Amino acid sequence: MSGSHADVSKHVRAYVAVFIALAIGTIVTVAAAQVHIPHPMNYVVAMLIALFKASLVAAIFMHLKWERAANIWILLALCAVFFAALMLLPSLTTFDLPKQAQRIGAWG
Amino acid sequence: MSSHDHHTQGHGSGAHHELSFWRHYVFSTDHKVIGVQYGITALCFLFLGFCLMMMMRWQLAYPGQPMPVIGKFFGEAAMPGGIMLPEFYNSLGAMHGTIMVFLGVVPLLVGAFGNYVMPLQIGAPDMAFPKLNMASYWVFAVGGIVMLVSFFVPGGAANSGWTSYAPLSVIATMGQTLWLIGMVFLITSSLLGSVNFIVTIIQLRAKGLSMFRLPFFVWAQLVTAFLLLLAFPPLEAAGVMQLMDRVAGTSFFMPEGLVVSGVPSTVAGGGSPLLWQHLFWFLAHPEVYVLILPALGIVAEIIANNTRKPLWGYRPMVYSAIFLGFMSFIVWAHHMFMTGMGPTISTFFATTTMIISIPSVIILTALVISLYRASIRFTVPMLFALAFLPMFAIGGLTGLPLGLPASDIPLHDTYYVIGHFHYVVAPGTIFGIFAGIYYWYPKVTGRKMNDVLGKIHFWLSFVFINMVFGPMFVQGLAGVSRRLYSQVGYAHGEAVQSWTITSSWGAWLLGLAQIFFIVNFFMSMRAGKKVSDNPWEATTLEWAAPSPPPHGNFTTPPVVYRPPYEYSVPGLAKDYFPQHAAAEA
Amino acid sequence: MSTQTLPYTVHPHPVTGIYSGKFGTWLFLASEVMLFGALFSSYVLLRVGAPEAPSPLHWPSHEETHLSWRIGGFNTLVLIVSSVTMVMAWASLKMGDFSKGRRYLWLTFLLALTFIVVKLSLEYVPKLRGGYVPAKSTFFSLYYTLTGLHGLHVIGGMVVIGYFLGPGAALWKRDPEYYTNRIECTGLYWHFVDLVWIFLFPVLYLM
């Protein structure tokens, strides 16, 4: 990431813009929860907004937009893959069982 | 044992300003002192874990008989009249596993060898974050102390197995709470350490030391550090959740309608015992590779050095290690075939398990091919390294039937499993550790360990360790469960009881054989033969530093000119060409 | 005791393009992702496995949990603002304005304190008094573990920021670039804490 004054003051404008976007995002999340979107779309909407907000934080506040170090990107890619394995597989281990057995599977 | 020049070359040499004893040997930030601290602590724990096992072996071989000599020291709560109680046996089993894995082998491989050797091998003055390094050791030490204290609380130490499966672990005695607290400390220590290792290897390599000029040991440490970094946090989360279950009465792992000893449990329920298994094995399978990769790294160093040839297939070995690390994250549920997973997902995990055996075989094969047509020097470290190869192969191959659901079901939780993974970690990893100790001892102390004692130690260990673990395959195929307090009284168990007795005698004789090592280890500190900085005529950078290396390691920052294992280069007078030598002197 | 100097603590490594502290911070954050990932995974598994509504063990709707989205939303905004002040602190230091950077750091610290005070006084204490203890249900088990662990991270961040406001500030005089770098690393951690909350808020308060 570059360090000159001009660049940093350009960043500052981006920070303010992101702040506004995050505030709006928070209001939209709350509003979406109030209007009772049918299940399971409400989860999808909430998670999409959260993902959008999180990517703004990561890209601008955590400077990933300007990050050129390959190591960080390799690390993030690895982390994303294992995170996905961790998130999905435990729940998936019962997906090919009948509904009743899924409950038993989850409950031991 | 001191790694610092002040100690061995006499006090007040005046090269550095004097540090107090505390800053020098106790709260040191020097990676070499920390490595030695890890080494000594972990060797003590390794010995303790071994003692726990030798006691268990008495109960297994001669169930219900009072233990001679030692039995009467344990009091009524553990061994009334010298006869071991089942609860105490369970504690010994759980703590043997925990101590060996988390307090013995991993701290030795990563904390001791990694800390001491890795920065030297990359030509760095220290680890990237020296204070963090010190913190890792002390957090580890606290975790170890908590584990030790747990032996003395009411109900004894954790007794739900080293895997701490819920719901048994949640309703267990207080020792389990301390086990969890201890684990949180040990995990935190590993996390801090792994951050430090990765940054050091990536950032602090000497000039000219590109990634593919790194010794294989450093690659092994790098992959290991990634495994620790990304696999340990889920267990930390699981540990916190189990702690909540035990302390705050939550029910993460507690199902509804649980009945304990005929009494309905009061917990709200709604949790999943399988969740614990998922989170535990998400760590514990990569942990298997944490246990084996650095040992493979040590063995590779020693084989290259003692065959006087470059390693055969260095690059495929590196790629295999990376692939191994990657795959180890998606095989964990092969420990859980018995939990009622669906056939599709079982097949998925069986397939990934078969795939992960490929890179292990590539590494092993490359090491074996390296021996081909070499003029092998049968030094003590080389003997251990050579024995490692077939032992690890037995351990690995016996694992294949466990990776397939159909053959895993009859073998699950039998002594076959115990035999399988002990072949990997005992004659495998621990032989690797012994090889490493004999190999790098001259670097740490400036003296060599005694050869004759070392060879006696090797041959006795080699014979007896097979006597311990070989019979377990027979027991396991006969169907004896690994968690039985006594197999006598079951027809299938009594039929193979003679094998159990053989195995127990093997264990005790193996214990006696270690006397040669212990004597050698301490005696050589003062009386060992003084050797040069590079007694094995090795090529890698750690041998370019003085023995023992001073604070800051190298007298001048080394520059690297060539790959790590340039042995027997045609046209050179000497049969080794060090990485840091600009041209042959 | 430093008789030696380690390279790349302040200036980026010429090949990797990053200084050691920042790389270390990212590695640490990767492990944090896996830590919270395991807890989110547990949330999914337990929620998917929960029985349907008539059962006493069904997953509670947010009307039943009595968690106020107003308090949660307020705390979300507090953390977002604290992220902005944190990154502004770094930007000010980067432009050489120490006193402005310090003011922003103080703001960040006070916002973190606000978050914790609101969390404890308006949520934890009334909830615990009202019988909504961790043992009440799987939902509350998760709620307390997730928010508790997140809260500990906030407190950890406050300790670090406090250190750089207090004894750590001396580093600015000795090596301003080093100090700025350390604030950048602190900021990375702080934004991650914010990022976790961005997911926790809808998951616990709205879904």
Side-chain angles (χ1 to χ4, degrees), chain A residues 19-103:
Chain A
F19 167 65
I20 295 166
L22 290 175
I24 293 172
T26 308
I27 294 163
V28 173
T29 323
V30 175
Q34 307 304 315
V35 296
H36 293 290
I37 304 169
H39 174 88
M41 275 314 285
N42 54 345
Y43 303 153
V44 177
V45 170
M47 281 297 103
L48 280 179
I49 299 171
L51 263 178
F52 173 71
K53 287 165 70 183
S55 358
L56 278 181
V57 171
I60 309 297
F61 289 169
M62 298 171 91
H63 302 139
L64 279 182
K65 187 180 168 219
W66 300 281
E67 190 61 70
R68 292 292 169 269
N71 288 328
I72 287 181
W73 290 104
I74 295 171
L75 172 69
L76 289 177
L78 267 181
C79 192
V81 172
F82 297 142
F83 179 79
L86 180 62
M87 282 296 288
L88 297 176
L89 286 178
S91 316
L92 281 184
T93 46
T94 53
F95 85 96
D96 53 346
L97 296 175
K99 191 76 190 160
Q100 184 54 25
Q102 282 192 19
R103 273 251 307 129

Side-chain angles (χ1 to χ4, degrees), chain B residues 299 303 364 367-368 371 382-398 423-424 427-428 431 458 462 466:
Chain B
V299 167
I303 284 185
L364 200 62
L367 290 174
V368 172
L371 302 174
M382 186 61 173
L383 289 174
F384 277 102
L386 285 174
F388 171 95
L389 300 176
M391 296 293 101
F392 175 60
I394 293 174
L397 291 174
T398 51
Y423 259 98
V424 176
F431 271 24
F458 166 74
F462 182 69
N466 282 292

